[in-house]
Amino acid sequence: MNFSESFIRRLKAAENVTVLTGAGVSAESGVPTFRDPGGIWEKFKPEQLANFEAFMRDPDFVWNWYQHRREIMRDVKPNAGHFALAEMESIFRNFNLITQNIDNLHFRAGSKKVTELHGNIERNFCISCRKFAEEIDITEKKVLKCESCGGLIRPDVVWFGEMLPMQALQFSEQCASNSDVFLSVGTSAEVYPAAMLPIIAKKAGAYVAEINLNPTAISWELNETICGKSGEVLSELVNYLKENKN
Ligand code: BV8
Ligand code: ZN
C-alpha cells in the first residue's frame, strides 16, 4: 500500500496521536457492523433497540438483542487491526485510542490506553439502584432482576438520547484538540458527539486521515481517506513505522 507523502511525513514527526475506532475495526473479527448491508440494524432500527424507552417498553426484547450480541462476541477474537493499534502505543510518545465499540476487543488485543465512549457490553447494572450485576448467564432469555432491589438489569452501554460518560468525552475532546495526527478508523461517522472528534482535531491543526472501506459523511472535511480494510491498512502502517519512524 502506498501511503501519501504528507501522511507519512506527519506521522513520522508525530508525538501526539489519537485514533477513533468504530464497528468497522471489529468487522474482520466477525462482529457485524450497524449500518452496513447485513448489519445488525438492517432488521430493526436503532430507535427500536438501543434506547431506554425501547427497553422499558419491552425489556426482554431489548435484553435478548444484547444477549445475542454477547454470544457473538464471546466467540470472536481480536483481528490484525486491533493488534496493530495495540502496537501503536509503543511507537508514539503520546498515543490514545478512543472507541465507540462496546466489544472489549481492543483490551483483549493488549491496548492499555483505551477510552470507551459508548460503554461496554460485558458490564451490566440495575436501573434502580445502579449496582453492577456480577457474572450473568448470557443464555438467559428473560431480563435479569437486581439481587439487591429487584430492579431491571441493563447493559452498561450508552443508548440514543443518553449522555456519554462525561470524563470519557472530555478526555477524548482534549486528545482530539492536542493531536499531531488523528485517525478515524472503521466508522461511518454518523453518531454524535463521537463523530465530532475528527472535526475538532482537524480544526485544532491535526493531520486527520480516515481508514474505512468507503468514504463517509465527514470525508470531505478531512485531509485524506484511505479506502481499505482496517486490518490490512493498519498492519501495513505499523510495519512501515516500525522500520522508518524517527
Ligand atoms: C446524545 C451503543 C444527547 C449501544 C450506540 C440529529 C443529528 C445529529 C445527532 C443527532 C440527531 N438526532 C439525535 C442525535 C444524537 C444521536 C445521534 O448521533 N444520532 C445519529 C444516528 C443521527 N446521538 C445520541 O443520542 C448520543 N447521545 O447525543 O445525548 C444528550 C444531551 C444532553 C442530555 C441527554 C442526552 C448517544 C450516541 C450513542 C448511541 N449508542 N451504541 C449499542 O451498541 O447497542 S451508537 C452505535 O453507532 C455504536 O456505538 C457504534 O459504535 C456507533 C457508530 O457506528 P459505527 O461504529 O460507525 O458503525 P457503522 O456500522 O455505522 O459503520 C461502520 C463503518 O465501518 C462503515 O463506514 C463501513 O464502511 C466500515 N467498515 C466495515 N468493515 C470495515 C470497515 N472499515 C474498515 N475495514 C473494514 N473491514
Ligand atoms: Zn438494584
Side-chain angles (χ1 to χ4, degrees):
M1 159 152 273
N2 291 322
F3 296 109
S4 74
E5 183 279 327
S6 43
F7 183 42
I8 288 299
R9 180 166 39 79
R10 293 291 291 265
L11 264 179
K12 285 168 80 172
E15 298 211 336
N16 305 301
V17 173
T18 307
V19 177
L20 170 70
T21 60
V25 167
S26 298
E28 289 158 66
S29 294
V31 181
T33 61
F34 293 88
R35 297 169 184 86
D36 287 322
I40 45 175
W41 281 340
E42 199 168 47
K43 283 191 290 296
F44 301 105
K45 289 285 152 271
E47 326 36 279
Q48 292 170 289
L49 286 163
N51 70 64
F52 188 71
E53 294 68 34
F55 179 67
M56 295 313 285
R57 197 169 40 245
D58 188 343
D60 290 342
F61 178 64
V62 174
W63 176 257
N64 266 303
W65 183 54
Y66 284 94
Q67 292 287 70
H68 166 64
R69 288 172 68 190
R70 275 190 263 265
E71 278 183 287
I72 294 172
M73 290 173 192
R74 180 189 54 185
D75 305 332
V76 301
K77 291 190 177 42
N79 66 60
H82 295 106
F83 290 116
L85 290 168
E87 278 201 81
M88 280 195 188
E89 284 184 5
S90 54
I91 293 177
F92 298 104
R93 190 182 59 76
N94 177 29
F95 178 86
N96 284 288
L97 178 54
I98 317 289
T99 188
Q100 300 172 89
N101 299 338
I102 62 172
D103 57 29
N104 228 21
L105 287 174
H106 286 305
F107 286 114
R108 287 177 54 194
S111 289
K112 304 264 179 310
K113 300 178 76 179
V114 185
T115 299
E116 293 177 317
L117 284 178
H118 293 161
N120 187 313
I121 200 168
E122 297 192 0
R123 291 193 303 265
N124 299 276
F125 67 91
C126 167
I127 62 170
S128 307
C129 70
R130 304 192 72 79
K131 253 176 113 176
F132 278 93
E134 295 314 319
E135 288 300 304
I136 58 144
D137 168 5
I138 66 169
T139 62
E140 177 52 65
K141 294 289 177 237
K142 297 206 54 71
V143 67
L144 299 180
K145 301 283 171 46
C146 173
E147 284 170 8
S148 312
C149 77
L152 294 178
I153 300 290
R154 61 163 280 181
D156 184 21
V157 299
V158 179
W159 278 335
F160 285 101
E162 292 185 330
M163 297 273 278
L164 275 60
M166 201 39 79
Q167 205 274 335
L169 183 56
Q170 284 170 348
F171 178 72
S172 303
E173 288 167 346
Q174 194 189 328
C175 290
S177 309
N178 299 322
S179 298
D180 300 314
V181 170
F182 187 104
L183 302 181
S184 180
V185 188
T187 179
S188 61
E190 291 196 16
V191 172
Y192 287 81
M196 273 311 291
L197 294 171
I199 311 306
I200 291 171
K202 184 76 173 48
K203 289 201 167 82
Y207 189 90
V208 184
E210 184 176 51
I211 297 170
N212 207 62
L213 270 191
N214 37 51
T216 69
I218 61 166
S219 298
W220 64 279
E221 301 190 63
L222 309 182
N223 292 94
E224 67 176 286
T225 292
I226 301 167
C227 284
K229 295 174 80 171
S230 51
E232 290 167 12
V233 175
L234 290 171
S235 304
E236 286 200 35
L237 189 57
V238 162
N239 291 338
Y240 176 86
L241 289 168
K242 282 194 302 192
E243 281 147 39
N244 299 279
K245 176 89 170 95
N246 302 340

